[in-house]
Amino acid sequence: MKPIQVLVKKELKVEFRSLQGLVASAMLSFMILMSLRFSLTDSTMLQNSGVLWASILLTGLGLVTHISTRESERGTMDLLKLAPITRYQLFLGRMLGSLFLLWILSTIILVMYVILFGNPFAGDLALAYLVVLIGCTGLSAVGTLAAGSATPLHGGWMITSLFAIPILLFTVIEAAVRCTDSLITGSSDFELAFMLLIMYNAVFITGGAWLSELSN
Amino acid sequence: MIELNAFFKSFGPKKVLRGLNLEVGTGEIVALVGNNGSGKTTLLRCLNTLYNPDSYDLAEIDGYDLSSFPEEIRSRIGYLPHNPQFYPELSGFENLRFWLELNSMSDAELRAREFLAKVGLISFADDLSGNYSRGMIQRLGFAMAISHVPTTLLLDEPFTGLDSDGIDMIGDLVTGLRDENCSILLVSHASPPYSDRTVELERGGIL
């Protein structure tokens, strides 16, 4: 457990000292939300939570890719690979580091969403926030795995998106959208969608750790 | 102790190491010299498990097989790359402490300060490593290579960017480690005077 904590602590320290990834991602989220706020004229589209998750998916994946690309471009990935830790510990440490930063980003996005689009969750805002935090876990796992494989390649950030978005869209994001939509509409889908979301996260974290170990 | 027998590594069709045989004994400094592209750095990156070899009859460090015990090998190896890289947002001290913590070393803070002092960086310990000069980066890289008490040291052009004091300092530390039974493989264009043996690598094989 210790090496994972050390990796998470390092990731947070490096990001908080530079704020490159968080600030850029938060600005991009703001622009995406603003663009959608003024371009979507069909009010039924605004009543659901797709806009929120589109923003989290695009900018969150960008943040995870940025963290991985930074590590590869600087050559510090070799330093991590030289440490006497297993590849799954390395994956989990990097994934959790990205996850903490994603949680900060998604909190900012949720606040902006509530300000720009009103609070469609009414009294269930805390539950919606919990869904957002859990949804970020799968995003971080798939993003870290995809970015880890793709960033050494030319145009790796684009390959990461091409690989990760289809996987996330039909699993984590779909389940998360169903969760938050059910909170808005008050339908009874929430429990099933929430279970699905947790299951997808468990599969992606376990699969990511396993594939990392295999790649050794 | 490093033992290699019939060691092969290629990148696609390009064969870099061709049936290499090499032994570095306990408490021995072996200088590995060779022209550019002869496979020196590739050999070091295979030994530290960053590259996977294609095949070999024997590839062991302290009796541990390279492919079967990668974590054990990495805990025993200290590696100074040709161009060491660090987190520029962290100070020299924070970079070294991070490395020691990753290696599960107890008293990482104390040890980090001790090794920064050994390489002459203690007065710059709290400066961001992004502001270090090339020579200071090399010193920090050397501190990182030796701070977790490796039994085998792999040095890739260790004198790059160093002033004469720095070269002497590395020489003193390397010979000190040899006296403590560390096996040292040193890649350089010229063999340093304190090396016990010099081997020349050409086209992926020892001459």
Side-chain angles (χ1 to χ4, degrees):
Chain A
M1 202 57 199
K2 181 88 190 303
I4 297 174
Q5 286 173 4
V6 173
L7 286 166
V8 171
K9 206 169 77 177
K10 182 273 296 174
E11 205 62 76
L12 298 180
K13 196 176 270 186
V14 166
E15 181 55 34
F16 288 141
R17 292 254 171 100
S18 67
L19 287 176
Q20 285 176 348
L22 264 182
V23 170
S25 304
M27 296 272 285
L28 183 61
S29 307
F30 177 68
M31 287 175 196
I32 290 173
L33 288 173
M34 282 291 279
S35 306
L36 294 173
R37 179 72 187 85
F38 290 108
S39 60
L40 291 177
T41 49
D42 185 352
S43 62
T44 53
M45 292 180 80
L46 294 175
Q47 281 165 7
N48 295 326
S49 57
V51 168
L52 170 71
W53 284 103
S55 183
I56 290 175
L57 174 64
L58 295 175
T59 56
L61 205 53
L63 178 63
V64 176
T65 309
H66 165 75
I67 293 166
S68 259
T69 309
R70 180 169 61 187
E71 203 86 64
S72 287
E73 284 179 353
R74 284 176 178 172
T76 44
M77 186 59 91
D78 277 357
L79 193 144
L80 299 180
K81 286 181 176 173
L82 281 171
I85 58 174
T86 58
R87 291 292 181 252
Y88 84 83
Q89 285 176 316
L90 182 57
F91 168 78
L92 289 177
R94 294 179 60 220
M95 190 216 94
L96 287 173
S98 299
L99 179 60
F100 280 108
L101 296 172
L102 265 181
W103 280 347
I104 296 170
L105 176 66
S106 61
T107 305
I108 297 169
I109 294 174
L110 185 62
V111 169
M112 289 193 292
Y113 176 76
V114 167
I115 292 170
L116 288 170
F117 293 88
N119 178 12
F121 306 110
D124 287 328
L125 184 60
L127 206 50
Y129 183 45
L130 178 68
V131 173
V132 166
L133 297 183
I134 292 173
C136 286
T137 312
L139 202 159
S140 174
V142 175
T144 303
L145 185 66
S149 316
T151 45
L153 309 171
H154 290 294
W157 60 272
M158 201 188 293
I159 298 170
T160 302
S161 302
L162 288 174
F163 177 66
I165 288 178
I167 293 174
L168 286 165
L169 207 54
F170 299 108
T171 52
V172 172
I173 299 299
E174 189 181 355
V177 169
R178 281 188 183 205
C179 278
T180 43
D181 277 357
S182 68
L183 290 176
I184 294 170
T185 59
S187 75
S188 57
D189 280 353
F190 182 80
E191 279 183 23
L192 179 64
F194 193 69
M195 289 296 290
L196 261 179
L197 182 61
I198 288 175
M199 192 195 74
Y200 284 135
N201 283 339
V203 167
F204 287 137
I205 293 170
T206 316
W210 180 63
L211 286 173
S212 306
E213 199 61 37
L214 269 188
S215 72
N216 195 30
Chain B
M1 183 173 189
I2 303 171
E3 292 172 289
L4 297 180
N5 193 13
F7 194 87
F8 288 88
K9 172 67 186 172
S10 55
F11 296 103
K14 187 176 164 56
K15 292 183 172 67
V16 181
L17 300 176
R18 309 167 191 221
L20 189 88
N21 300 315
L22 177 70
E23 186 174 324
V24 181
T26 305
E28 185 182 27
I29 300 176
V30 173
L32 186 65
V33 297
N35 295 330
N36 293 336
S38 57
K40 303 186 297 291
T41 298
T42 300
L43 173 60
L44 295 194
R45 290 175 73 86
C46 285
L47 289 173
N48 68 22
T49 74
L50 282 178
Y51 289 162
N52 290 323
D54 295 343
S55 66
Y56 53 79
D57 287 346
L58 177 73
E60 290 182 352
I61 288 178
D62 297 341
Y64 289 97
D65 180 74
L66 272 190
S67 305
S68 309
F69 302 97
E71 285 94 37
E72 188 63 43
I73 297 282
R74 288 197 289 269
S75 72
R76 289 168 175 272
I77 277 187
Y79 175 56
L80 173 65
H82 177 55
N83 190 13
Q85 300 294 334
F86 301 101
Y87 297 98
E89 297 88 354
L90 305 184
S91 67
F93 167 72
E94 288 169 329
N95 269 294
L96 191 50
R97 186 181 59 186
F98 166 66
W99 173 248
L100 289 166
E101 286 174 346
L102 262 190
N103 276 270
S104 303
M105 299 295 288
S106 57
D107 58 14
E109 293 209 6
L110 205 66
R111 186 173 280 271
R113 298 254 177 227
E114 179 194 336
F115 278 85
L116 284 172
K118 276 189 181 181
V119 296
L121 282 181
I122 194 66
S123 51
F124 305 98
D126 298 319
D127 293 356
L128 294 182
S129 65
N131 296 332
Y132 277 11
S133 69
R134 179 68 182 85
M136 290 161 83
I137 288 287
Q138 196 71 5
R139 285 169 186 249
L140 182 57
F142 192 75
M144 196 171 273
I146 62 173
S147 59
H148 58 289
V149 200
T151 60
T152 305
L153 194 57
L154 308 174
L155 306 173
D156 194 352
E157 305 282 2
F159 311 116
T160 308
L162 289 175
D163 52 22
S164 56
D165 283 351
I167 292 171
D168 292 345
M169 176 269 301
I170 295 242
D172 291 344
L173 288 171
V174 164
T175 47
L177 286 165
R178 171 179 56 189
D179 297 341
E180 292 167 17
N181 286 330
C182 187
S183 309
I184 300 164
L185 183 59
L186 187 153
V187 164
S188 182
H189 288 297
S191 172
Y194 44 80
S195 61
D196 300 307
R197 199 154 49 91
T198 300
V199 292
E200 190 174 349
L201 195 63
E202 189 175 298
R203 295 186 177 189
I206 300 288
L207 282 181

